[in-house]
Amino acid sequence: ADNTISDHMNAITNLTFRLTDGHEGRTIWLDDLKSTSGYLTDKTGSTITSATGNQYMQYRAIMTSLDEAVSATLSAVTIDYVINVAPNTPTLDAPTDTATNQSLLPVLKTTTTDFDGDYLRYKIELCEDVGMSVSCQTFDQTSSQTGWSGQNSQTSTAYTSGTQGTYTLQTPLAANDTYYWRSYAIDPGGINTWSSTQGTPYSFTTTTAPTAPTTPYAEGATNPTGVLDLTPEFSAVHNDADGDSANYYQIEVNTANDFTGTVMWDSTKTSMTTTADGVRSPDISYAGTSLALDGTTYYWRIKFWDTLGAEGVVSATANFVMNTPPTLASGCVVQEIKDDSYLLVIWTDTADNENGYEVQSSVDGATFSTLQDLAADSTSHTDSTVTPGHTYRYRIAPYLTGPTYGDWCYTDTLSLSTGNFTFENIKFE
């Protein structure tokens, strides 16, 4: 049939013309066919081996191109050919042509069929120009299966005819850049020849990177001072021109505002709860070198990655200042009361940033233990737990929430002895 021949002339591997009008053995020249189709290069006559052509090369054209000496009496032409067809030109399924805001690790999908039902492997070319010559990468399934998925033939190394080939890039592309791609298919179990590829490659543009985060907070405030938390929390507002959410962050904390000092913390790229464009990130707790309540100023900055893999711009530098320990209490003394029913502990409040005072006691030289927590600005405490026959010593310290104590102020040791009676100027009669 005409269609059978014309559809598969490009795959013919052996072509023989056999005359059945009594002129067997006559030489048949294909000059006219060659000049008409522009594809034949072999003019040896009745046998053409490894011929190439296209759909234009039809049975009807062959008939009319025979030598005039035999065409007048020619009754039939039989064409014997051996055929195995290369795969059809694949379709480019995803990303669609001119797609925008694509992942930096895009998933490329392509599909074709094989006329003979042979299993298929795919090859994808990815370049930065439509001419497919600039910064090109080739992902050839016949060389490596890495990145390919969905294989359902040949022990998961190939695809059946009509099954979509899927390749996921293994190395991120550049953000906000345009790429061009095309694909091929090959049937290793058949003619083992690559198919034609698309006449014009498809293009797609990768996502834009997030812009700098805004309103960075430490401990819920901008550049806070007097920070008491030794693992402060950080957050910032995520911004993305494409409207993409963020799912990774990096925070750096340093002793210098140009980040050339001591690195206190570099979280590196760390996953977080997905945060929408224009929304503040969740609080992220400090997890670097231990901080102290020593009045040090630290500098920090943050950046985000969007869900398509683009690394964002770092935020403006922010800072936070650690609080200092409360000032040591002074003038700590213990006073004995006349009837020894209690002892009075007294001190001078010299701190101005304490959250409270703690009073501890040592009985008979034992380890100090907490006796009482008192409010900020306290200056005395009455110990009613004393009994005669024991020694008592006290220490007092202001503290910050945590708690973090200032230095301890100590009293002298007081001995609360059993009393003796002295009688004077008494006349017995």
Side-chain angles (χ1 to χ4, degrees):
D2 291 354
N3 289 340
T4 301
I5 298 170
S6 62
D7 287 346
H8 306 300
M9 288 299 292
N10 64 329
I12 291 175
T13 56
N14 185 43
L15 181 62
T16 301
F17 292 88
R18 199 165 58 245
L19 306 183
T20 60
D21 64 343
H23 295 280
E24 286 81 1
R26 293 283 302 273
T27 299
I28 302 175
W29 297 99
L30 302 180
D31 287 334
D32 292 338
L33 180 60
K34 177 179 183 298
S35 62
T36 301
S37 68
Y39 286 94
L40 291 180
T41 58
D42 188 349
K43 299 197 309 177
T44 58
S46 59
T47 301
I48 302 176
T49 303
S50 300
T52 56
N54 70 351
Q55 291 186 6
Y56 187 84
M57 186 175 175
Q58 298 181 16
Y59 172 77
R60 193 170 293 105
I62 295 173
M63 290 284 291
T64 58
S65 300
L66 297 177
D67 185 86
E68 292 181 358
V70 298
S71 61
T73 58
L74 186 64
S75 61
V77 172
T78 299
I79 300 178
D80 295 333
Y81 61 93
V82 178
I83 183 171
N84 188 285
V85 184
N88 294 313
T89 301
T91 59
L92 301 178
D93 305 330
T96 57
D97 195 19
T98 70
T100 59
N101 197 30
Q102 297 300 296
S103 170
L104 302 189
L105 292 172
V107 179
L108 307 178
K109 298 181 179 181
T110 182
T111 309
T112 193
T113 56
D114 185 79
F115 178 80
D116 307 292
D118 298 320
Y119 66 86
L120 303 173
R121 293 192 176 100
Y122 290 96
K123 176 174 66 176
I124 292 174
E125 293 177 336
L126 179 71
C127 302
E128 292 191 43
D129 71 315
V130 70
M132 305 300 286
S133 62
V134 177
S135 301
C136 293
Q137 303 179 65
T138 299
F139 314 114
D140 187 345
Q141 192 188 2
T142 66
S143 300
S144 172
Q145 294 288 328
T146 301
W148 293 93
S149 59
Q151 300 95 316
N152 61 353
S153 180
Q154 299 297 301
T155 318
S156 299
T157 65
Y159 301 91
T160 57
S161 174
T163 298
Q164 187 176 69
T166 301
Y167 180 79
T168 302
L169 263 71
Q170 304 299 292
T171 303
L173 301 176
N176 196 28
D177 200 357
T178 298
Y179 292 87
Y180 300 83
W181 69 294
R182 62 188 181 188
S183 66
Y184 306 78
I186 194 170
D187 54 348
I191 194 173
N192 197 30
T193 299
W194 287 107
S195 70
S196 299
T197 189
Q198 301 76 31
T200 302
Y202 275 16
S203 69
F204 64 87
T205 302
T206 52
T207 184
T208 302
T211 54
T214 51
T215 324
Y217 282 171
E219 290 294 279
T222 301
N223 300 333
T225 60
V227 174
L228 296 171
D229 189 355
L230 300 183
T231 57
E233 280 68 48
F234 304 99
S235 67
V237 175
H238 164 60
N239 303 295
D240 191 287
D242 298 320
D244 300 320
S245 297
N247 59 350
Y248 284 88
Y249 71 88
Q250 181 180 12
I251 293 176
E252 297 174 274
V253 179
N254 201 285
T255 58
N257 61 4
D258 60 357
F259 293 85
T260 60
T262 301
V263 176
M264 300 299 294
W265 185 36
D266 183 350
S267 70
T268 66
K269 184 180 179 182
T270 304
S271 63
M272 68 175 188
T273 302
T274 300
T275 301
D277 171 41
V279 174
R280 178 169 295 279
S281 69
D283 284 337
I284 302 163
S285 294
Y286 177 85
T289 302
S290 297
L291 303 177
L293 298 179
D294 55 7
T296 299
T297 298
Y298 294 103
Y299 301 89
W300 72 283
R301 59 191 181 187
I302 186 172
K303 64 181 174 182
F304 297 115
W305 280 259
D306 68 25
T307 53
L308 296 178
E311 179 179 352
V313 179
V314 72
S315 70
T317 299
N319 66 75
F320 62 96
V321 183
M322 301 302 296
N323 208 336
T324 55
T327 305
L328 169 70
S330 64
C332 299
V333 296
V334 56
Q335 295 181 351
E336 184 178 3
I337 303 306
K338 188 172 184 179
D339 63 1
D340 291 337
S341 61
Y342 65 88
L343 295 177
L344 180 63
V345 184
I346 302 173
W347 65 90
T348 300
D349 173 28
T350 57
D352 60 4
N353 64 338
E354 80 276 11
N355 296 116
Y357 274 94
E358 183 167 315
V359 180
Q360 296 185 352
S361 65
S362 170
V363 181
D364 296 332
T367 302
F368 281 96
S369 61
T370 299
L371 180 63
Q372 189 69 44
D373 279 336
L374 302 173
D377 301 325
S378 297
T379 57
S380 66
H381 174 66
T382 298
D383 182 6
S384 301
T385 65
V386 299
T387 56
H390 299 280
T391 62
Y392 294 89
R393 191 184 189 196
Y394 299 88
R395 66 180 185 180
I396 306 96
Y399 66 83
L400 298 174
T401 301
T404 297
Y405 296 97
D407 290 333
W408 293 97
C409 174
Y410 290 83
T411 69
D412 291 332
T413 300
L414 187 147
S415 177
L416 196 60
S417 301
T418 302
N420 296 313
F421 291 94
T422 302
F423 299 92
E424 295 180 357
N425 301 318
I426 295 177
K427 182 178 179 180
F428 293 94
E429 294 182 352

